[in-house]
Amino acid sequence: MLPTPDTSHIPTSLVYDPVEDSYLLLDTFSSPSETAFLKDHFPLTSPSAPQSPSPIPVVLELGSGSGVVSAFLASNARHIFGRPVLSACTDLNPHACRATAETIRKELSQRREDGAGDGAGVFLGVCNADLEGPWVSGAVDVLVFNPPYVPTPDLPVRPDTMRDSADGEEGDRREPTFEEEEYYLGLAYAGGYDGMEVTNRLIERLPDILSARGCAYIVLCAQNHPEEVKQRIRDMGAEWRAETAGTSGKKAGWEKLQIMRAWRVHQS
Amino acid sequence: MRVLNLNFLSCAVKACKVTNTSFPLHPKDAELEQDDEVVYKPEVLVSLLPRLDWVALRTTCTELGFPQLPEQAPTAEELQADEKLMADLHRLLMETHIVGGRLVCGSCGHEYPIREGIANFLLPSHLV
């Protein structure tokens, strides 16, 4: 068992606390089958040029929230990927951005104190953005997304009290109003129709976001119709693959949560 | 954010993303901080080399007032043989954070504020 990063500093009225879905991601990434896939997928040297090192993998987590998943991936990079990685995050919620940065900083410094910092990842930073936001095309090797997947009548609406550009200096340090807290927590779970409105937006952008060797890990719940989602990925083209990389196990005959891995294979 | 992160970010405005002036973003009034959290490792720098957009990196390096990088990206062998270049790259990319200031798009001119090391890429409604 790899240790779970500490998230005790997180303001739970504003940032979604790690729950079952986060832990399913940690379990999936540290499972023997997934570490084998990742080590094989990102070998230290490229098969065509065994003398030169292959590019360091870039891991981007969208909607990182507490930061527990990225902290775990960065801190255990050697175990999971067999090598250091570059780790970065985005979140729409500025409070979550600060929580993420703090969780990862604490986890990596704890690792260094334990004398185990050697194989850890390099944390690039967290951007306050919608999905991949400013990230350039084709840069991401491992995309991680625990989306708002709960079916809801609507997506959260930004309260009028919040400033339009969030540019003001006073903007994000004052006490949030009740409506703002509701909005931020809603962003973490409310997925609209079928719980898929945000995930669908991301899936459309996958071909542009991922590098040629990139793969995406996305949390799906039973109400998202995961088999249909995987079929849609496969229908994006002959090179696309989508498989279940981890599940929460069956409860009353059906699977509540699963982690989908979507990626492209190269015809060489 | 580490300076290295800038090598992966462009303007968040859709119409800008397809122009080549939206990358790299230009730091303005940048407040920099150094740390020594990342262990200096030549093999990490060498594996980073194929990921870097060297032209963009040279621009960023000059704009932040760091020593000029060579015009051409070194090969893996050249980098391994050049300890000074490796040390310069490590300092710029792995040890330097932008903790405050703005990032400006060369295409639309939009300025993204950075506070506490976190850049705000949320767009005002007229730019979405």
Side-chain angles (χ1 to χ4, degrees):
Chain A
M1 267 294 271
L2 301 170
T4 304
D6 174 26
T7 53
S8 57
H9 54 279
I10 290 170
T12 51
S13 67
L14 290 162
V15 180
Y16 201 64
D17 231 11
V19 289
E20 195 186 356
D21 42 22
S22 314
Y23 296 121
L24 180 58
L25 275 166
L26 306 194
D27 287 346
T28 300
F29 276 114
S30 51
S31 70
S33 55
E34 216 48 44
T35 60
F37 173 86
L38 290 164
K39 285 171 185 163
D40 184 58
H41 205 72
F42 301 107
L44 281 168
T45 55
S46 54
S48 54
Q51 300 307 317
S52 48
S54 71
I56 188 169
V58 172
V59 181
L60 176 66
E61 184 182 10
L62 310 180
S64 51
S66 65
V68 69
V69 176
S70 282
F72 184 82
L73 293 177
S75 143
N76 299 299
R78 171 93 10 134
H79 178 88
I80 295 168
F81 302 93
R83 58 188 301 179
V85 296
L86 302 179
S87 159
C89 301
T90 67
D91 203 294
L92 198 48
N93 173 351
H95 304 281
C97 289
R98 285 193 288 269
T100 288
E102 178 64 5
T103 303
I104 298 176
R105 192 198 59 75
K106 265 169 69 174
E107 174 67 13
L108 290 178
S109 91
Q110 183 62 48
R111 269 299 162 114
R112 280 193 305 278
E113 271 174 41
D114 298 346
D118 205 32
V122 177
F123 178 53
L124 298 182
V126 50
C127 292
N128 191 192
D130 178 34
L131 296 179
E132 87 285 8
W135 272 74
V136 296
S137 294
V140 179
D141 294 311
V142 180
L143 183 94
V144 183
F145 191 29
N146 184 357
Y149 54 70
V150 177
T152 51
D154 303 291
L155 292 177
V157 178
R158 202 175 164 83
D160 293 336
T161 51
M162 288 168 72
R163 297 169 55 108
D164 195 28
S165 78
D167 199 340
E169 298 302 323
E170 83 282 13
D172 48 69
R173 270 308 185 187
R174 67 179 160 74
E175 273 305 287
T177 63
F178 177 70
E179 284 72 25
E180 288 165 9
E181 288 190 4
E182 286 249 299
Y183 168 70
Y184 284 134
L185 291 179
L187 287 178
Y189 74 87
Y193 184 72
D194 272 353
M196 282 296 289
E197 290 189 35
V198 182
T199 307
N200 281 337
R201 266 205 303 137
L202 189 264
I203 288 176
E204 275 172 31
R205 284 143 87 153
L206 273 187
D208 184 53
I209 300 172
L210 292 182
S211 70
R213 58 176 188 164
C215 43
Y217 290 83
I218 302 173
V219 178
L220 299 171
C221 77
Q223 292 98 319
N224 299 153
H225 308 295
E227 291 314 309
E228 289 172 28
V229 177
K230 278 178 270 185
Q231 193 53 50
R232 269 192 34 229
I233 302 260
R234 294 175 192 130
D235 291 344
M236 296 197 312
E239 72 280 23
W240 281 93
R241 301 286 181 274
E243 299 298 339
T244 306
T247 80
S248 60
K250 288 198 197 306
K251 280 176 190 148
W254 56 293
E255 226 158 60
K256 209 178 140 219
L257 289 172
Q258 64 168 272
I259 312 295
M260 171 182 74
R261 185 205 317 131
W263 76 108
R264 278 176 283 205
V265 294
H266 309 287
Q267 280 83 13
S268 50
Chain B
M1 63 160 72
R2 279 185 217 283
V3 170
L4 179 53
N5 204 354
L6 265 193
N7 210 249
F8 298 107
L9 304 178
S10 71
C11 184
V13 177
K14 265 208 190 96
C16 283
K17 271 197 163 184
V18 294
T19 68
N20 50 18
T21 47
S22 68
F23 174 80
L25 296 169
H26 306 288
K28 184 177 166 188
D29 306 325
E31 265 173 70
L32 303 182
E33 270 178 19
Q34 305 280 144
D35 69 31
D36 56 359
E37 285 171 7
V38 180
V39 186
Y40 173 73
K41 279 208 176 153
E43 68 268 28
V44 169
L45 290 169
V46 172
S47 73
L48 187 61
L49 203 53
R51 303 234 44 141
L52 293 174
D53 184 311
W54 192 261
V55 176
L57 182 63
R58 286 189 85 225
T59 304
T60 302
C61 185
T62 308
E63 288 175 351
L64 291 177
F66 277 74
Q68 185 70 267
L69 294 172
E71 200 163 323
Q72 297 292 324
T75 64
E77 294 74 28
E78 285 165 356
L79 181 62
Q80 271 162 325
D82 189 339
E83 266 182 49
K84 176 167 184 310
L85 181 56
M86 282 204 286
D88 283 351
L89 281 178
H90 181 78
R91 184 160 181 79
L92 173 68
L93 297 173
M94 301 293 196
E95 291 189 340
T96 309
H97 295 251
I98 307 180
V99 295
R102 282 157 192 279
L103 296 173
V104 186
C105 171
S107 169
C108 71
H110 191 68
E111 300 192 351
Y112 298 97
I114 302 175
R115 283 194 294 278
E116 298 175 67
I118 297 167
N120 178 353
F121 284 97
L122 301 182
L123 297 166
S125 45
H126 69 277
L127 286 175
V128 175

